PDB file of all heavy atoms in Angstrom:
ATOM      1  N   ALA A  73      76.221 109.565  70.046  1.00  0.00           N
ATOM      2  CA  ALA A  73      75.915 110.075  71.396  1.00  0.00           C
ATOM      3  C   ALA A  73      74.397 110.096  71.599  1.00  0.00           C
ATOM      4  O   ALA A  73      73.643 110.266  70.638  1.00  0.00           O
ATOM      5  CB  ALA A  73      76.466 111.496  71.535  1.00  0.00           C
ATOM      6  N   PRO A  74      73.942 109.937  72.853  1.00  0.00           N
ATOM      7  CA  PRO A  74      72.495 109.983  73.096  1.00  0.00           C
ATOM      8  C   PRO A  74      71.918 111.375  72.812  1.00  0.00           C
ATOM      9  O   PRO A  74      72.607 112.382  72.990  1.00  0.00           O
ATOM     10  CB  PRO A  74      72.362 109.677  74.597  1.00  0.00           C
ATOM     11  CG  PRO A  74      73.688 109.222  75.049  1.00  0.00           C
ATOM     12  CD  PRO A  74      74.719 109.709  74.084  1.00  0.00           C
ATOM     13  N   VAL A  75      70.671 111.386  72.395  1.00  0.00           N
ATOM     14  CA  VAL A  75      69.917 112.633  72.214  1.00  0.00           C
ATOM     15  C   VAL A  75      68.845 112.696  73.293  1.00  0.00           C
ATOM     16  O   VAL A  75      68.120 111.729  73.504  1.00  0.00           O
ATOM     17  CB  VAL A  75      69.240 112.659  70.821  1.00  0.00           C
ATOM     18  CG1 VAL A  75      68.237 113.812  70.727  1.00  0.00           C
ATOM     19  CG2 VAL A  75      70.287 112.761  69.718  1.00  0.00           C
ATOM     20  N   VAL A  76      68.768 113.815  73.988  1.00  0.00           N
ATOM     21  CA  VAL A  76      67.723 114.015  75.002  1.00  0.00           C
ATOM     22  C   VAL A  76      66.890 115.214  74.566  1.00  0.00           C
ATOM     23  O   VAL A  76      67.458 116.263  74.254  1.00  0.00           O
ATOM     24  CB  VAL A  76      68.331 114.328  76.384  1.00  0.00           C
ATOM     25  CG1 VAL A  76      67.231 114.495  77.425  1.00  0.00           C
ATOM     26  CG2 VAL A  76      69.295 113.238  76.807  1.00  0.00           C
ATOM     27  N   PHE A  77      65.584 115.050  74.502  1.00  0.00           N
ATOM     28  CA  PHE A  77      64.765 116.216  74.154  1.00  0.00           C
ATOM     29  C   PHE A  77      63.928 116.659  75.336  1.00  0.00           C
ATOM     30  O   PHE A  77      63.341 115.852  76.045  1.00  0.00           O
ATOM     31  CB  PHE A  77      63.905 115.982  72.908  1.00  0.00           C
ATOM     32  CG  PHE A  77      62.961 114.818  72.959  1.00  0.00           C
ATOM     33  CD1 PHE A  77      61.639 115.007  73.366  1.00  0.00           C
ATOM     34  CD2 PHE A  77      63.368 113.555  72.582  1.00  0.00           C
ATOM     35  CE1 PHE A  77      60.748 113.942  73.391  1.00  0.00           C
ATOM     36  CE2 PHE A  77      62.483 112.485  72.610  1.00  0.00           C
ATOM     37  CZ  PHE A  77      61.183 112.678  73.020  1.00  0.00           C
ATOM     38  N   ALA A  78      63.916 117.967  75.556  1.00  0.00           N
ATOM     39  CA  ALA A  78      63.081 118.532  76.620  1.00  0.00           C
ATOM     40  C   ALA A  78      61.626 118.373  76.214  1.00  0.00           C
ATOM     41  O   ALA A  78      61.261 118.600  75.061  1.00  0.00           O
ATOM     42  CB  ALA A  78      63.432 120.000  76.813  1.00  0.00           C
ATOM     43  N   LYS A  79      60.815 117.954  77.191  1.00  0.00           N
ATOM     44  CA  LYS A  79      59.395 117.715  76.913  1.00  0.00           C
ATOM     45  C   LYS A  79      58.565 118.922  77.306  1.00  0.00           C
ATOM     46  O   LYS A  79      58.828 119.558  78.319  1.00  0.00           O
ATOM     47  CB  LYS A  79      58.912 116.496  77.691  1.00  0.00           C
ATOM     48  CG  LYS A  79      59.548 115.210  77.201  1.00  0.00           C
ATOM     49  CD  LYS A  79      58.809 114.021  77.784  1.00  0.00           C
ATOM     50  CE  LYS A  79      59.290 112.750  77.128  1.00  0.00           C
ATOM     51  NZ  LYS A  79      58.198 111.870  76.771  1.00  0.00           N
ATOM     52  N   LYS A  80      57.544 119.155  76.485  1.00  0.00           N
ATOM     53  CA  LYS A  80      56.656 120.299  76.755  1.00  0.00           C
ATOM     54  C   LYS A  80      55.407 119.882  77.510  1.00  0.00           C
ATOM     55  O   LYS A  80      54.690 120.732  78.021  1.00  0.00           O
ATOM     56  CB  LYS A  80      56.252 120.952  75.431  1.00  0.00           C
ATOM     57  CG  LYS A  80      57.389 121.645  74.713  1.00  0.00           C
ATOM     58  CD  LYS A  80      56.932 122.204  73.380  1.00  0.00           C
ATOM     59  CE  LYS A  80      58.067 122.876  72.633  1.00  0.00           C
ATOM     60  NZ  LYS A  80      57.802 123.010  71.200  1.00  0.00           N
ATOM     61  N   THR A  81      55.115 118.587  77.497  1.00  0.00           N
ATOM     62  CA  THR A  81      53.888 118.140  78.180  1.00  0.00           C
ATOM     63  C   THR A  81      54.214 117.004  79.139  1.00  0.00           C
ATOM     64  O   THR A  81      55.201 116.278  78.953  1.00  0.00           O
ATOM     65  CB  THR A  81      52.844 117.623  77.169  1.00  0.00           C
ATOM     66  OG1 THR A  81      53.478 116.669  76.337  1.00  0.00           O
ATOM     67  CG2 THR A  81      52.267 118.744  76.336  1.00  0.00           C
ATOM     68  N   LYS A  82      53.357 116.861  80.140  1.00  0.00           N
ATOM     69  CA  LYS A  82      53.537 115.768  81.100  1.00  0.00           C
ATOM     70  C   LYS A  82      52.515 114.690  80.800  1.00  0.00           C
ATOM     71  O   LYS A  82      51.395 114.985  80.399  1.00  0.00           O
ATOM     72  CB  LYS A  82      53.322 116.283  82.518  1.00  0.00           C
ATOM     73  CG  LYS A  82      54.464 117.166  82.981  1.00  0.00           C
ATOM     74  CD  LYS A  82      54.526 117.264  84.491  1.00  0.00           C
ATOM     75  CE  LYS A  82      55.840 117.886  84.909  1.00  0.00           C
ATOM     76  NZ  LYS A  82      55.689 119.039  85.750  1.00  0.00           N
ATOM     77  N   SER A  83      52.893 113.437  80.998  1.00  0.00           N
ATOM     78  CA  SER A  83      51.935 112.351  80.813  1.00  0.00           C
ATOM     79  C   SER A  83      52.066 111.401  81.993  1.00  0.00           C
ATOM     80  O   SER A  83      52.896 111.618  82.894  1.00  0.00           O
ATOM     81  CB  SER A  83      52.237 111.599  79.516  1.00  0.00           C
ATOM     82  OG  SER A  83      53.395 110.823  79.689  1.00  0.00           O
ATOM     83  N   ALA A  84      51.277 110.329  81.975  1.00  0.00           N
ATOM     84  CA  ALA A  84      51.306 109.351  83.069  1.00  0.00           C
ATOM     85  C   ALA A  84      52.687 108.730  83.220  1.00  0.00           C
ATOM     86  O   ALA A  84      53.051 108.273  84.306  1.00  0.00           O
ATOM     87  CB  ALA A  84      50.271 108.265  82.807  1.00  0.00           C
ATOM     88  N   THR A  85      53.470 108.725  82.135  1.00  0.00           N
ATOM     89  CA  THR A  85      54.784 108.082  82.205  1.00  0.00           C
ATOM     90  C   THR A  85      55.903 109.074  82.553  1.00  0.00           C
ATOM     91  O   THR A  85      57.053 108.675  82.706  1.00  0.00           O
ATOM     92  CB  THR A  85      55.153 107.412  80.855  1.00  0.00           C
ATOM     93  OG1 THR A  85      55.182 108.429  79.852  1.00  0.00           O
ATOM     94  CG2 THR A  85      54.165 106.326  80.477  1.00  0.00           C
ATOM     95  N   THR A  86      55.573 110.361  82.667  1.00  0.00           N
ATOM     96  CA  THR A  86      56.614 111.352  82.964  1.00  0.00           C
ATOM     97  C   THR A  86      57.049 111.239  84.429  1.00  0.00           C
ATOM     98  O   THR A  86      56.209 111.164  85.327  1.00  0.00           O
ATOM     99  CB  THR A  86      56.078 112.788  82.707  1.00  0.00           C
ATOM    100  OG1 THR A  86      55.475 112.825  81.423  1.00  0.00           O
ATOM    101  CG2 THR A  86      57.197 113.806  82.753  1.00  0.00           C
ATOM    102  N   SER A  87      58.362 111.263  84.626  1.00  0.00           N
ATOM    103  CA  SER A  87      58.901 111.219  85.990  1.00  0.00           C
ATOM    104  C   SER A  87      58.623 112.552  86.690  1.00  0.00           C
ATOM    105  O   SER A  87      58.466 113.590  86.050  1.00  0.00           O
ATOM    106  CB  SER A  87      60.409 110.986  85.865  1.00  0.00           C
ATOM    107  OG  SER A  87      61.086 111.489  86.967  1.00  0.00           O
ATOM    108  N   ASN A  88      58.582 112.516  88.011  1.00  0.00           N
ATOM    109  CA  ASN A  88      58.442 113.773  88.754  1.00  0.00           C
ATOM    110  C   ASN A  88      59.801 114.354  89.095  1.00  0.00           C
ATOM    111  O   ASN A  88      59.908 115.501  89.521  1.00  0.00           O
ATOM    112  CB  ASN A  88      57.675 113.536  90.066  1.00  0.00           C
ATOM    113  CG  ASN A  88      56.207 113.307  89.792  1.00  0.00           C
ATOM    114  OD1 ASN A  88      55.652 113.918  88.886  1.00  0.00           O
ATOM    115  ND2 ASN A  88      55.600 112.405  90.538  1.00  0.00           N
ATOM    116  N   ASP A  89      60.834 113.521  88.907  1.00  0.00           N
ATOM    117  CA  ASP A  89      62.172 113.945  89.276  1.00  0.00           C
ATOM    118  C   ASP A  89      62.856 114.566  88.049  1.00  0.00           C
ATOM    119  O   ASP A  89      63.641 113.911  87.357  1.00  0.00           O
ATOM    120  CB  ASP A  89      62.935 112.707  89.776  1.00  0.00           C
ATOM    121  CG  ASP A  89      64.078 113.118  90.673  1.00  0.00           C
ATOM    122  OD1 ASP A  89      64.116 114.289  91.111  1.00  0.00           O
ATOM    123  OD2 ASP A  89      64.948 112.256  90.923  1.00  0.00           O
ATOM    124  N   VAL A  90      62.473 115.812  87.786  1.00  0.00           N
ATOM    125  CA  VAL A  90      62.908 116.447  86.539  1.00  0.00           C
ATOM    126  C   VAL A  90      63.590 117.786  86.802  1.00  0.00           C
ATOM    127  O   VAL A  90      63.356 118.421  87.828  1.00  0.00           O
ATOM    128  CB  VAL A  90      61.698 116.703  85.590  1.00  0.00           C
ATOM    129  CG1 VAL A  90      61.079 115.401  85.112  1.00  0.00           C
ATOM    130  CG2 VAL A  90      60.655 117.612  86.229  1.00  0.00           C
ATOM    131  N   TYR A  91      64.423 118.194  85.843  1.00  0.00           N
ATOM    132  CA  TYR A  91      64.859 119.588  85.779  1.00  0.00           C
ATOM    133  C   TYR A  91      63.796 120.299  84.959  1.00  0.00           C
ATOM    134  O   TYR A  91      63.369 119.788  83.914  1.00  0.00           O
ATOM    135  CB  TYR A  91      66.217 119.706  85.087  1.00  0.00           C
ATOM    136  CG  TYR A  91      67.326 118.979  85.810  1.00  0.00           C
ATOM    137  CD1 TYR A  91      67.950 117.879  85.241  1.00  0.00           C
ATOM    138  CD2 TYR A  91      67.741 119.402  87.071  1.00  0.00           C
ATOM    139  CE1 TYR A  91      68.961 117.203  85.906  1.00  0.00           C
ATOM    140  CE2 TYR A  91      68.753 118.737  87.744  1.00  0.00           C
ATOM    141  CZ  TYR A  91      69.353 117.642  87.158  1.00  0.00           C
ATOM    142  OH  TYR A  91      70.345 116.987  87.824  1.00  0.00           O
ATOM    143  N   GLU A  92      63.377 121.457  85.432  1.00  0.00           N
ATOM    144  CA  GLU A  92      62.266 122.121  84.765  1.00  0.00           C
ATOM    145  C   GLU A  92      62.554 123.618  84.615  1.00  0.00           C
ATOM    146  O   GLU A  92      63.192 124.231  85.473  1.00  0.00           O
ATOM    147  CB  GLU A  92      61.011 121.920  85.619  1.00  0.00           C
ATOM    148  CG  GLU A  92      59.737 122.290  84.926  1.00  0.00           C
ATOM    149  CD  GLU A  92      58.506 121.711  85.644  1.00  0.00           C
ATOM    150  OE1 GLU A  92      58.611 121.363  86.830  1.00  0.00           O
ATOM    151  OE2 GLU A  92      57.455 121.636  84.999  1.00  0.00           O
ATOM    152  N   THR A  93      62.074 124.182  83.514  1.00  0.00           N
ATOM    153  CA  THR A  93      62.191 125.626  83.325  1.00  0.00           C
ATOM    154  C   THR A  93      61.039 126.094  82.455  1.00  0.00           C
ATOM    155  O   THR A  93      60.306 125.267  81.900  1.00  0.00           O
ATOM    156  CB  THR A  93      63.566 125.996  82.707  1.00  0.00           C
ATOM    157  OG1 THR A  93      63.792 127.394  82.830  1.00  0.00           O
ATOM    158  CG2 THR A  93      63.651 125.605  81.239  1.00  0.00           C
ATOM    159  N   SER A  94      60.859 127.397  82.335  1.00  0.00           N
ATOM    160  CA  SER A  94      59.796 127.858  81.451  1.00  0.00           C
ATOM    161  C   SER A  94      60.396 128.557  80.242  1.00  0.00           C
ATOM    162  O   SER A  94      61.440 129.219  80.336  1.00  0.00           O
ATOM    163  CB  SER A  94      58.820 128.771  82.201  1.00  0.00           C
ATOM    164  OG  SER A  94      59.507 129.884  82.675  1.00  0.00           O
ATOM    165  N   VAL A  95      59.743 128.354  79.096  1.00  0.00           N
ATOM    166  CA  VAL A  95      60.235 128.895  77.828  1.00  0.00           C
ATOM    167  C   VAL A  95      59.075 129.579  77.110  1.00  0.00           C
ATOM    168  O   VAL A  95      58.013 128.984  76.950  1.00  0.00           O
ATOM    169  CB  VAL A  95      60.782 127.747  76.933  1.00  0.00           C
ATOM    170  CG1 VAL A  95      61.072 128.246  75.524  1.00  0.00           C
ATOM    171  CG2 VAL A  95      62.041 127.134  77.538  1.00  0.00           C
ATOM    172  N   TYR A  96      59.311 130.806  76.684  1.00  0.00           N
ATOM    173  CA  TYR A  96      58.302 131.505  75.886  1.00  0.00           C
ATOM    174  C   TYR A  96      58.468 131.090  74.434  1.00  0.00           C
ATOM    175  O   TYR A  96      59.560 131.174  73.875  1.00  0.00           O
ATOM    176  CB  TYR A  96      58.478 133.029  76.035  1.00  0.00           C
ATOM    177  CG  TYR A  96      57.498 133.803  75.200  1.00  0.00           C
ATOM    178  CD1 TYR A  96      56.174 133.937  75.604  1.00  0.00           C
ATOM    179  CD2 TYR A  96      57.880 134.380  73.989  1.00  0.00           C
ATOM    180  CE1 TYR A  96      55.258 134.636  74.819  1.00  0.00           C
ATOM    181  CE2 TYR A  96      56.974 135.077  73.205  1.00  0.00           C
ATOM    182  CZ  TYR A  96      55.663 135.196  73.629  1.00  0.00           C
ATOM    183  OH  TYR A  96      54.757 135.870  72.852  1.00  0.00           O
ATOM    184  N   SER A  97      57.374 130.621  73.844  1.00  0.00           N
ATOM    185  CA  SER A  97      57.446 130.162  72.455  1.00  0.00           C
ATOM    186  C   SER A  97      57.181 131.313  71.498  1.00  0.00           C
ATOM    187  O   SER A  97      56.120 131.942  71.540  1.00  0.00           O
ATOM    188  CB  SER A  97      56.438 129.041  72.219  1.00  0.00           C
ATOM    189  OG  SER A  97      56.266 128.872  70.826  1.00  0.00           O
ATOM    190  N   PHE A  98      58.151 131.523  70.623  1.00  0.00           N
ATOM    191  CA  PHE A  98      58.068 132.618  69.653  1.00  0.00           C
ATOM    192  C   PHE A  98      56.916 132.403  68.677  1.00  0.00           C
ATOM    193  O   PHE A  98      56.204 133.345  68.323  1.00  0.00           O
ATOM    194  CB  PHE A  98      59.400 132.696  68.889  1.00  0.00           C
ATOM    195  CG  PHE A  98      59.432 133.790  67.879  1.00  0.00           C
ATOM    196  CD1 PHE A  98      59.639 135.101  68.272  1.00  0.00           C
ATOM    197  CD2 PHE A  98      59.240 133.518  66.539  1.00  0.00           C
ATOM    198  CE1 PHE A  98      59.647 136.117  67.342  1.00  0.00           C
ATOM    199  CE2 PHE A  98      59.254 134.537  65.599  1.00  0.00           C
ATOM    200  CZ  PHE A  98      59.456 135.837  66.005  1.00  0.00           C
ATOM    201  N   THR A  99      56.716 131.167  68.255  1.00  0.00           N
ATOM    202  CA  THR A  99      55.689 130.917  67.245  1.00  0.00           C
ATOM    203  C   THR A  99      54.299 130.718  67.861  1.00  0.00           C
ATOM    204  O   THR A  99      53.299 131.058  67.265  1.00  0.00           O
ATOM    205  CB  THR A  99      56.046 129.687  66.373  1.00  0.00           C
ATOM    206  OG1 THR A  99      56.539 128.669  67.232  1.00  0.00           O
ATOM    207  CG2 THR A  99      57.078 130.022  65.338  1.00  0.00           C
ATOM    208  N   LYS A 100      54.262 130.178  69.104  1.00  0.00           N
ATOM    209  CA  LYS A 100      52.949 129.930  69.720  1.00  0.00           C
ATOM    210  C   LYS A 100      52.522 131.074  70.638  1.00  0.00           C
ATOM    211  O   LYS A 100      51.413 131.088  71.146  1.00  0.00           O
ATOM    212  CB  LYS A 100      52.976 128.609  70.491  1.00  0.00           C
ATOM    213  CG  LYS A 100      53.300 127.428  69.574  1.00  0.00           C
ATOM    214  CD  LYS A 100      52.984 126.081  70.210  1.00  0.00           C
ATOM    215  CE  LYS A 100      53.127 124.959  69.209  1.00  0.00           C
ATOM    216  NZ  LYS A 100      54.529 124.553  68.971  1.00  0.00           N
TER     217      LYS A 100
END
Side-chain angles (χ1 to χ4, degrees):
V75 169
V76 182
F77 57 94
K79 293 193 171 224
K80 292 177 181 160
T81 52
K82 288 201 167 125
S83 73
T85 60
T86 311
S87 154
N88 287 324
D89 203 14
V90 294
Y91 298 114
E92 192 164 20
T93 194
S94 61
V95 170
Y96 178 77
S97 164
F98 181 78
T99 43
K100 300 195 172 79

